[in-house]
Every structure is written in structure tokens, then in C-alpha cells.
Amino acid sequence: MAVKINENYLLLKSSYIFAEIAHRVDKYQNEHPDADVIRMGIGDVTRPLPKAVVNEFKNAVDEMGQADTFRGYGPEQGYDFLIEEIIKNDYAPRGIQLDNDEVFISDGAKCDTGNIQEIFGLDNVIAITDPVYPVYVETNIMAGRGGPMGEDGKYQGLVYLPCTEENDLVPALPQEDVDLIYLCFPNNPTGTALTKEQLAKWVNYARENDAIILFDAAYEAYIREDNIPHSIYEIEGAKEVAIEFRSFSKNAGFTGTRCAYTVVPKELMGYDGEGNPQALNPLWNRRQTTKFNGVSYPIQVAAKAVYSPEGQKEIKESIDYYMKNAEIIRESLTNIGLKIYGGVNSPYIWVKTPNGMDSWEFFDTLLDKAHVVGTPGVGFGPSGEGYFRLTAFNTLENTKEAMSRISKLSF
Ligand code: PLP
């Protein structure tokens, strides 16, 4: 008998959006070798690690090379020296009390937002905003929760919460009965953020409907406005209904270094088959201790240095740099009459394509006429059709040049 595969993998859309973009750009560059293509589609940071981080990182590597300071396996949940800094800096000043064992250090919010579904039953109904960071969707498909994709580009077993011009990209509460709700604010890809009042509606909904919110705050550091919560736990009662994901990738340039964390409050409960409440914190702890062996010591030391005064100063400079780019993109595109969202509390600018162009038509037009690459919105879900994502992660010079080229186009 031949080996059987997990057939859920066959339900996944074959081409991941960034592979298709790379393919089209390569083809274009082969045909137009002189075109100076500027990539504004990247979701990766470009500024280097802060010096304060690099210095501590190097010191920790040296420690690993000395017999008396060498460390082997660390705690799977992360070292207390980092967890304590996280609680002291990211939560306590906002009035949020957490115990060390409610914070789990990991090597990425991608893995955590992808793996979290393992601790939940397969028959839970999953709600996602549309457009969405694809990891939430695809990990549930792999697990068997999504079913096949329909003609409308939606996996039939998932509940989609459209975010479009009609609702100003703010998802409405679900009409259906849903169990797990993935929310990401500030949002990738739309760049929008929720105010405290808007997020409180979701927390209340979850409390009233026994749902759980999986809150991805990977872009928290980009929040500029006062009334935008940095953590879902700023909303009263959220600890009973929400898991929060954070990352050092986008605030401190750790995309290639890898460090993140997830908060699973002890109050948070799911239910077993008999209807008895079961705390989720020990389940996630069990999952992590079984399948994960912790983030390397030097990287956790490096992450701790993010919280040093020098580290904080440097990361603020980098974020200010990206947000200056975001402002330039916003201004340039608004000036030529394009409708845009985001870029105020986030490094993403979500553009409504002009003249009813679809996302890929707009992609091809910008590539051909301005040699600028962005990300077609439809790649993030069916409601992303007719939209396009630009990011503020390129250099100031390239951002200005790209905007100057786009500004010369007429739509
Ligand atoms: N969550 C969102 C919404 C993201 O956009 C990204 C990266 O682009 C991640 C998580 C991944 O973060 P990490 O680098 O910590 O895996």
C-alpha cells in the first residue's frame, strides 16, 4: 500500500502570491534588462539591526564559546530575562499585569499564528478578515478546517469578514456562529488600525458568544495615534477571550534573526467534549515543550537589548524612517487622485485601483509604466480584488523615485 499524503495540502491554492510576483518581475526584467525596477511590495524590513542589539548579540555568542558561560538547551518557553523585559516594557506601562508563564518566546509570529490552531478542535468555525495574512487561512486548510475552495475564491468551511471600501475596511461582526476569530491590527495588508472602541466591540462579541480572538499585533510599533490600542489586553475582559501575538521582526528588524512571543493568559478557557472548561495556557505550553526547543540564547539576549535605552532610540529612528516613507506614499498617491488607506499607524498602504482595474492589471501597469512592483490585493483574499498593497520598507530614495514615476502616470 502506497504512503498516503495529507490531502488537505492539495486544497491549497497552488501559487503563493509572492512566487507569482517574482515570476512576473523576472520575466519582465529578462525582456527589459535596462528597466530599473523598484520593489514596493516587500513585507520585509530593510534597515539593519540596532547597534545596541548587535553588540549584545555578539557578546552572547562569545559566551557560548566559553566553557564557563556556555549554555545548552534553554527553557522551551524562553528565558525569564527576556520575558521580564517584555512584561515590564510592553504590558505593565499599559496597566496590563502578566505572569512570566503567560508569555511564550518563539522564533516567529508566523510559526505561532500558524501553530496555534493545533490546540483547538477541528470542528471549530474559523473567521478571518478578508483580505488577510494568508498564514491564518492556509494553516487551517492544512489542518482540515477549511474544505475546498469555491468559485468565489473562498474556502467553503471558513467565514470571511470582508473589509472593503463599503465598510471603510473595518470588518463587521460575524452573522454566523464562529468560534475562533483571527484579527490583525494594525492590519497587514490594509494598513488600517482599530480604535479602542472598535476593538472593544470584538472583545464583547467574543465574551458574549464564547468565541476566542487570535490577535496578531506584529505591527504594534507603527501605531502613531493615541486612541489605537497596542495590545488587545488594553480592552477590559480581553484576557478571558484573546491570545496575542507579537514579534521583534517589524519593530526591531528581526525578520532574519527570528524572535517573537505569544501571550496566552491563564484565564483563557476552551471546552472539552463534555463541556468542561479547560485552560488553554497549559495546552500551548504542552504544544511548545513537545514540538519546540526554544529560541537560541544569543537571539534572546539580542531581543532583550531592544528594550535598552539605546535599542529603543534606534528602533524609533528606523520606524520613523519607514513612516516618513509611508507619508510620502500617502501624499503622492492622494495627490494624483487615488483612494488610499493605511500608512498612518502601519507601514502598509492599501490602494484602491483606479478605473475598475483588477489587482493584477494594476500590478502589470505599474511594472510596465513605472517599473514599480507592489502586491496585488487579490492575493490576500477575494475582497482584496481591486486593491493593491504598497509598503514603506524601501529606502527613502527609492520611495521618492517610485512615487515620482507613478505621479507621472495618468489613470
Ligand atoms: N503576522 C503578520 C500579520 C505579518 O505580516 C508577518 C510578517 O510579514 C508576521 C506575522 C510574521 O512575523 P515573524 O517574522 O515574527 O514570523
Side-chain angles (χ1 to χ4, degrees), residues 14-26 360:
S14 59
S15 161
Y16 188 61
I17 175 147
F18 293 101
E20 176 61 21
I21 293 171
H23 169 72
R24 290 198 191 200
V25 175
D26 283 351
W360 279 110

Side-chain angles (χ1 to χ4, degrees), residues 365-385:
T365 304
L366 284 197
L367 178 59
D368 190 37
K369 302 272 184 327
H371 302 160
V372 171
V373 176
T375 312
V378 69
F380 298 100
S383 294
E385 181 55 281

Side-chain angles (χ1 to χ4, degrees), residues 227-247:
N227 194 28
I228 309 293
H230 289 241
S231 163
I232 194 166
Y233 305 123
E234 287 177 50
I235 313 292
E236 215 185 310
K239 274 191 183 177
E240 286 157 37
V241 291
I243 291 175
E244 178 161 290
F245 305 93
R246 294 268 194 118
S247 171

